[in-house]
Amino acid sequence: MLRYLNLIYLCIFLISLQSCYTLSNSSTIKLEVLVPGKIILSKDYKTVAVRYNNANIALNPYFSDYIEDNETLKDYSNLDSTASDIYFQNFLTQLKNHQYFDSVIELEPMNYSDIGLDDSLVYAQFKQVEPTDSTTQILINKEAFHFAHFVKSLSNCDSVKSKTKFFDPEFGLYSKDDIQKIADSTNADLLLSFDYYGSADGIFSPKYVRDLSKKYIFSSYNLDEATEIVYVLSGWNFYDLKKSAMIYTHIKTDTISWVEPAFNLAQSKRNLPPRKDAVLNAANIAGSQFAEFLVPYWIEVDRMYYKSGQAELKKTEKLIKQNRWLEAAEIWKKNTTNKNKKIAAKSMYNMALACEMNGDMDAAIDWAVKSFYARHKDIYHSGACKTYIFLLSQRKLDIKRIENIQ
């Protein structure tokens, strides 16, 4: 009886190995793909002017607090001022590196350290017309209105500054003359004005979070890691310099976090980055992320392909390493009709990869679908095909989107 059971277990083991074999004999390669930005910019914008214009450069009490568990502490060093410069410079560097625009021009920065902001003109214009009146859009730019409201909601120290700047109802922190001067001096199509920066941060020990979760009946949490979080708040305004118009206000919050094992707050502070490092590094990361948010950028991805011990197919390993995809594809295509269904399905899958490497997404999707149906009962292979079909479909949409804005 024991011998019989051992035989059954051996058969089950061999069957499981057979089902896993489909993916066990595979490898991966690195591939660079172009990902579109999240904002769709007009293809007419070839030259861009960029300006550091942070209106929140002075110490702002709203951003001087930071948290350590349940304690709120104060920092009057105006760390955000340094962080905002890091954010902007890294954004500018990444924007140039992505080479989306023909030219990127950096303008002289504006210093708001002793300039208070007054939104009375914006509200005065707003009250002159009914919100539903068709003339509202002429008197008030809704982007300028929303930005002025956002800035004033996060400022309570403007009254102590010696100078005052009025929000323009049409152009925000600029005037029509300002925009015209920038257009004339740069001959740029678009102005990206970095008009606001602030950050909030805190460290939370696992003990504090566990106690908090029990208080609010989140007993399922089993936390043994400390977390440091920095929220980066940035405000940008976009100006079409050819049309002399403020076209878009973008307020963005980025969440940057670090996680490390710890028991209490003291150990959390030892294991996590020092607060200053975290705030400045978060600014650096957020600056890069906004460049990627704005324009297409390249990322490196992994792609799986099947290897084979069959003599002819084995040659493709060397061809792949030499980037000779067309020659490898000739071998795979010939084997898509192989009598061995497993070899045929693998060759179809590899044909999909060859087509993607050649930039033909439609053919790649077609081969991946054929590979799926050739061996759809194999859950490992069919799962790999489904995943690849999804990735190819997303790449097809990304390429179409990028082509439409270029």
Side-chain angles (χ1 to χ4, degrees):
M1 181 65 178
L2 181 61
R3 184 179 180 184
Y4 176 72
L5 287 174
N6 287 337
L7 182 60
I8 291 176
Y9 293 147
L10 178 61
C11 289
I12 292 173
F13 176 70
L14 290 174
I15 291 171
S16 66
L17 282 181
Q18 180 66 26
S19 64
C20 292
Y21 177 74
T22 302
L23 290 185
S24 64
N25 199 19
S26 64
S27 187
T28 59
I29 61 162
K30 299 290 184 182
L31 172 67
E32 282 199 335
V33 301
L34 189 61
V35 179
K38 302 298 187 295
I39 296 177
I40 300 177
L41 295 172
S42 169
K43 60 184 179 182
D44 297 329
Y45 297 143
K46 303 296 184 182
T47 301
V48 60
V50 185
R51 189 182 194 187
Y52 180 92
N53 198 55
N54 180 18
N56 194 43
I57 192 70
L59 178 64
N60 186 340
Y62 278 108
F63 296 101
S64 59
D65 292 348
Y66 65 98
I67 297 172
E68 292 183 354
D69 280 353
N70 60 346
E71 185 178 6
T72 301
L73 304 170
K74 296 285 185 181
D75 176 11
Y76 296 110
S77 66
N78 197 13
L79 187 58
D80 281 356
S81 176
T82 304
S84 66
D85 185 61
I86 291 173
Y87 172 97
F88 178 78
Q89 291 303 326
N90 200 44
F91 162 79
L92 188 62
T93 299
Q94 295 303 322
L95 188 68
K96 291 177 179 178
N97 289 343
H98 293 325
Q99 299 182 347
Y100 175 78
F101 296 104
D102 292 346
S103 180
V104 178
I105 302 167
E106 183 180 4
L107 303 179
E108 285 293 321
M110 177 68 179
N111 186 354
Y112 283 86
S113 58
D114 195 32
I115 297 177
L117 299 174
D118 190 315
D119 58 357
S120 59
L121 288 180
V122 174
Y123 283 94
Q125 290 281 57
F126 181 74
K127 291 174 181 177
Q128 286 180 18
V129 292
E130 293 295 326
T132 56
D133 194 314
S134 60
T135 61
T136 302
Q137 292 301 315
I138 298 173
L139 295 174
I140 305 169
N141 184 318
K142 65 178 181 179
E143 302 295 329
F145 176 82
H146 291 319
F147 182 72
H149 179 72
F150 160 74
V151 171
K152 293 301 292 183
S153 69
L154 291 173
S155 178
N156 67 355
C157 56
D158 285 346
S159 59
V160 302
K161 297 177 181 177
S162 63
K163 302 174 185 176
T164 300
K165 185 180 183 69
F166 290 89
F167 281 101
D168 188 287
E170 283 190 74
F171 295 93
L173 294 177
Y174 295 85
S175 67
K176 188 171 184 177
D177 286 343
D178 293 333
I179 295 302
Q180 191 59 55
K181 287 177 183 177
I182 292 172
D184 293 340
S185 63
T186 63
N187 201 30
D189 307 304
L190 179 70
L191 168 63
L192 301 177
S193 187
F194 174 48
D195 289 348
Y196 199 89
Y197 185 93
S199 66
D201 63 284
I203 287 181
F204 304 95
S205 69
K207 180 181 183 305
Y208 171 73
V209 178
R210 277 199 300 270
D211 292 344
L212 199 64
S213 67
K214 291 175 182 177
K215 180 179 178 181
Y216 292 100
I217 323 178
F218 297 137
S219 57
S220 59
Y221 283 84
N222 182 20
L223 303 170
D224 56 1
E225 292 179 319
T227 303
E228 185 167 11
I229 301 176
V230 180
Y231 297 102
V232 174
L233 180 63
S234 57
W236 288 83
N237 287 304
F238 295 22
Y239 296 83
D240 187 313
L241 295 176
K242 299 302 183 185
K243 298 178 181 177
S244 292
M246 181 179 182
I247 57 173
Y248 183 52
T249 290
H250 188 73
I251 309 299
K252 190 172 188 289
T253 302
D254 293 284
T255 304
I256 317 296
S257 61
W258 292 262
V259 176
E260 292 291 346
F263 298 106
N264 51 39
L265 181 60
Q267 190 176 43
S268 300
K269 292 169 71 174
R270 286 197 299 270
N271 293 352
L272 289 163
R275 177 175 175 264
K276 182 178 179 180
D277 291 353
V279 171
L280 299 184
N281 283 332
N284 194 59
I285 294 167
S288 295
Q289 289 180 346
F290 187 67
E292 294 175 353
F293 185 84
L294 192 63
V295 299
Y297 59 98
W298 292 94
I299 61 171
E300 191 174 68
V301 297
D302 289 322
R303 289 290 189 260
M304 187 272 284
Y305 68 93
Y306 286 114
K307 299 190 293 184
S308 176
Q310 195 246 34
E312 187 179 30
L313 288 171
K314 202 169 183 180
K315 297 176 185 177
T316 61
E317 275 288 297
K318 184 177 180 180
L319 295 174
I320 291 172
K321 291 177 181 178
Q322 296 174 348
N323 207 30
R324 294 159 63 185
W325 287 93
L326 289 178
E327 295 172 59
E330 289 178 7
I331 297 174
W332 289 326
K333 189 172 183 180
K334 185 164 50 173
N335 280 277
T336 57
T337 56
N338 196 299
K339 292 181 180 179
N340 184 318
K341 299 299 181 183
K342 184 180 290 186
I343 290 177
K346 287 182 176 182
S347 297
M348 292 174 190
Y349 187 98
N350 288 354
M351 277 299 297
L353 178 59
C355 290
E356 183 187 11
M357 295 296 292
N358 199 40
D360 192 341
M361 296 304 117
D362 288 328
I365 292 171
D366 186 52
W367 279 115
V369 170
K370 287 178 179 177
S371 181
F372 169 80
Y373 284 111
R375 200 167 176 78
H376 66 276
K377 292 184 179 179
D378 183 330
I379 60 172
Y380 298 98
H381 175 74
S382 62
C385 288
K386 287 178 182 178
T387 299
Y388 194 29
I389 291 167
F390 172 80
L391 292 173
L392 290 170
S393 300
Q394 186 61 55
R395 270 211 74 191
K396 182 179 176 180
L397 291 173
D398 288 347
I399 291 170
K400 186 176 181 181
R401 183 177 177 186
I402 292 168
E403 287 175 345
N404 286 340
I405 61 176
Q406 288 182 337

